[in-house]
Amino acid sequence: MLFKPELNETAKAAGERVARVASRARRRTVSITITLLILGGLGYIAWTAMQQKQAANRNARPDLPVPVLAAMPRVQDVPVYLDGVGSVRALNNVLVRSQVDGKLIAVNFTEGQDVKKGDVLGEIDPVLYKAQLDQAVAKKAQDEALLANQRLDLARYQQLAASNAGSKQQADTQRATVAQTEALVNSDQAAIDNAQAMLGYTKIIAPLSGRAGLRQVDQGNIIHASDVTGLVIITQLQPIAVQFSLPQQQIVRVNAASAKGALTVDVFGNDGITVVDSGKLTGIDNQVDPTTGTLKLKAEFPNASFQLWPGQFVNVRLKVETIAKAVVVPSSAVQRGPAGTFSYVIGDGDIVTAKPVVVTQQNETDAVIASGLSASDRVVTTGFANLSDGAKVIVGRDEQTPAADLAPRKKRSSRDGQAKDGQAKDGQAKDGQAKDGQGERRGKKGERGQGEGDQKGQTGPAAGSEQSGGGAKSQP
């Protein structure tokens, strides 16, 4: 077997390359490990410094007073209301129909017109009904003439019977004939009355005062008493009624209040705040609706300005009682916790104390306190974010509350901005100076601004921390 030196040299070269690659990998691993250790150490140092700063802030913050707003309770008579939803209904609603058949020859109203009771709304051709009346009158005249003659004959027969010159039977027969004719005359009078009534029905009269709706039949058409649509619908708008519902749990309370006298009912407008009309409760339903568990009530309103319209949905409130000399505080002063409702009361030295309170009723603005507060207590209304029992507060004024900008402010010119910024903060760089061509002055002012900025930066965080802490506490 022959020895080949080329193979030995190739293996040696490959070994050297593997050794170099392994050496580079070890150096890269060591450098990465060292870098990670350095970064971990820096992170630990930063985290430790942050924790120490937060601990210092926590230890210092309780000593800072919390800015709040406060209010004094009011003593006043407070009405108690029950809220409901209802619909407006006409007090009276009449479909005006014709009572006789005939041709409509006149329509005497305008659609949407206010009409009064007794006004003639329409006229039907009266020729046929006038002829029937004349016929009945003539028939009565004929029967009256016959009756007069029969009465004369009765008188003669009675005289003859009294002198025995005539038959008593004939006198009795004539008396019966007279009675029969008298009944016929009465029947004729009834026919005349009926004909007069039918003639009067040719004028369609408004049965009540109200607002006329849209006309259902035009002039010139044949109108019938059996027509379903009728001539027009009259709706009484003044006064007007509102039917609303209350939960069945309020039945006892409403009945007890109504027994003492008439109850006042208010109706709100579309905004749900403005009271558009006030009236009185006129009726309570005699049973609860089993499908909804509510009780129906009816109220009457004068509706002087036509604010209410039939079919309109409205919000209603019913006044059931008045709490005399109640303690009233703003609703924001009442807070809720695990143990119930409470309020922060500011005592001596501006130290707040959490007092449990009992709320009788509450709305968006005011809360009625049954117990827990007196008229001399001063309660916190704004600034609960960092407030706790025993904390010291600073009571501000209502005009100090921040107001939102409704429109963007006017932009200042560059020269005005430079002047104002220079007076307020000399350390801030000015945009107007960047536009000037004076390089030396710009450099000097930049150095001076940087120096002053460094000095202010040393004192800024301490003051800024106090301000930021107070600002956060003032938020409710």
Side-chain angles (χ1 to χ4, degrees):
M1 181 176 179
L2 298 177
F3 175 74
K4 295 183 178 180
E6 294 84 1
L7 295 178
N8 190 11
E9 294 178 357
T10 302
K12 186 183 295 186
E16 292 177 356
R17 285 196 298 270
V18 171
R20 287 194 299 270
V21 170
S23 177
R24 286 197 297 268
R26 284 194 299 270
R27 287 196 298 271
R28 186 180 296 108
T29 302
V30 172
S31 62
I32 292 175
T33 303
I34 295 173
T35 303
L36 292 177
L37 290 174
I38 294 173
L39 293 177
L42 294 176
Y44 177 76
I45 294 172
W47 179 81
T48 304
M50 185 180 297
Q51 292 296 324
Q52 293 176 355
K53 185 177 181 180
Q54 291 179 355
N57 292 336
R58 284 196 299 268
N59 295 330
R61 181 159 297 183
D63 297 333
L64 298 177
V66 181
V68 296
L69 296 180
M72 297 295 293
R74 308 186 308 272
V75 178
Q76 63 185 29
D77 295 340
V78 179
V80 180
Y81 296 101
L82 300 179
D83 297 329
V85 178
S87 61
V88 181
R89 296 190 177 185
L91 199 63
N92 291 296
N93 195 23
V94 178
L95 174 60
V96 181
R97 296 181 181 179
S98 172
Q99 294 180 271
V100 294
D101 299 342
K103 181 180 179 181
L104 185 63
I105 60 175
V107 176
N108 300 328
F109 70 92
T110 305
E111 296 174 333
Q113 174 187 349
D114 290 328
V115 297
K116 296 182 179 180
K117 182 179 180 179
D119 290 348
V120 179
L121 302 179
E123 297 181 15
I124 298 175
D125 190 0
V127 175
L128 177 62
Y129 300 99
K130 189 174 184 302
Q132 292 176 357
L133 175 61
D134 295 339
Q135 184 179 1
V137 171
K139 181 66 170 58
K140 180 183 178 182
Q142 180 183 359
D143 293 338
E144 286 179 344
L146 180 60
L147 177 61
N149 183 43
Q150 291 176 353
R151 285 175 176 172
L152 292 175
D153 291 341
L154 177 60
R156 294 188 189 101
Y157 291 147
Q158 288 177 346
Q159 291 176 1
L160 292 175
S163 61
N164 293 325
S167 172
K168 292 183 179 181
Q169 181 181 2
Q170 188 176 7
D172 294 338
T173 303
Q174 186 63 29
R175 186 180 295 109
T177 302
V178 170
Q180 182 180 2
T181 306
E182 288 177 349
L184 184 59
V185 171
N186 292 334
S187 177
D188 293 337
Q189 182 60 43
I192 291 174
D193 295 340
N194 181 62
Q196 286 179 342
M198 299 299 286
L199 181 61
Y201 290 155
T202 58
K203 292 184 177 180
I204 303 175
I205 306 299
L208 53 84
S209 299
R211 180 69 60 89
L214 301 180
R215 186 176 66 250
Q216 305 296 326
V217 180
D218 296 331
Q219 181 179 344
N221 288 285
I222 301 299
I223 191 171
H224 302 278
S226 60
D227 290 341
V228 178
T229 57
L231 177 62
V232 69
I233 297 177
I234 297 179
T235 302
Q236 185 177 357
L237 300 178
Q238 292 178 336
I240 202 167
V242 173
Q243 181 175 314
F244 61 99
S245 300
L246 291 178
Q248 62 180 2
Q249 291 80 4
Q250 305 294 344
I251 296 176
V252 177
R253 197 173 189 180
V254 173
N255 289 333
S258 61
K260 299 178 182 179
L263 301 182
T264 303
V265 183
D266 297 329
V267 173
F268 293 95
N270 295 330
D271 56 358
I273 300 175
T274 306
V275 176
V276 297
D277 207 350
S278 297
K280 60 181 180 179
L281 186 68
T282 57
I284 302 175
D285 199 3
N286 57 2
Q287 59 182 352
V288 175
D289 188 354
T291 59
T292 59
T294 57
L295 178 67
K296 295 180 181 179
L297 300 94
K298 188 176 182 181
E300 185 176 322
F301 299 86
N303 197 25
S305 302
F306 296 102
Q307 296 282 353
L308 304 178
W309 210 254
Q312 178 183 1
F313 288 96
V314 292
N315 294 323
V316 181
R317 69 178 183 185
L318 173 65
K319 181 181 177 181
V320 292
E321 63 176 321
T322 300
I323 303 176
K325 296 181 179 180
V327 178
V328 182
V329 298
S331 296
S332 58
V334 179
Q335 300 294 309
R336 285 171 173 79
T341 56
F342 67 94
S343 294
Y344 286 108
V345 178
I346 302 176
D348 297 337
D350 291 338
I351 303 298
V352 297
T353 303
K355 289 187 177 181
V357 296
V358 178
V359 180
T360 301
Q361 69 173 11
Q362 184 175 358
N363 55 21
E364 293 81 1
T365 57
D366 296 326
V368 179
I369 306 300
S371 63
L373 295 178
S374 62
S376 60
D377 291 333
R378 189 169 52 162
V379 295
V380 178
T381 58
T382 304
F384 301 99
N386 295 319
L387 198 61
S388 61
D389 190 10
K392 185 178 179 61
V393 297
I394 297 178
V395 181
R397 298 186 301 271
D398 291 340
E399 58 267 17
Q400 292 178 345
T401 56
D405 292 336
L406 300 181
R409 298 181 182 274
K410 181 180 179 181
K411 294 182 178 180
R412 297 178 299 178
S413 62
S414 59
R415 295 181 179 178
D416 294 339
Q418 292 174 5
K420 293 181 180 179
D421 292 340
Q423 295 175 0
K425 295 180 180 180
D426 294 333
Q428 296 181 356
K430 302 177 180 61
D431 296 337
Q433 294 178 356
K435 297 180 180 180
D436 294 336
Q438 301 176 359
E440 295 178 359
R441 295 176 59 187
R442 180 181 61 188
K444 293 180 179 180
K445 290 184 179 179
E447 295 175 358
R448 183 184 65 182
Q450 184 177 1
E452 295 179 359
D454 294 337
Q455 295 177 0
K456 292 184 179 180
Q458 296 175 0
T459 60
S465 62
E466 294 179 358
Q467 293 178 357
S468 63
K473 294 178 184 179
S474 65
Q475 295 296 329

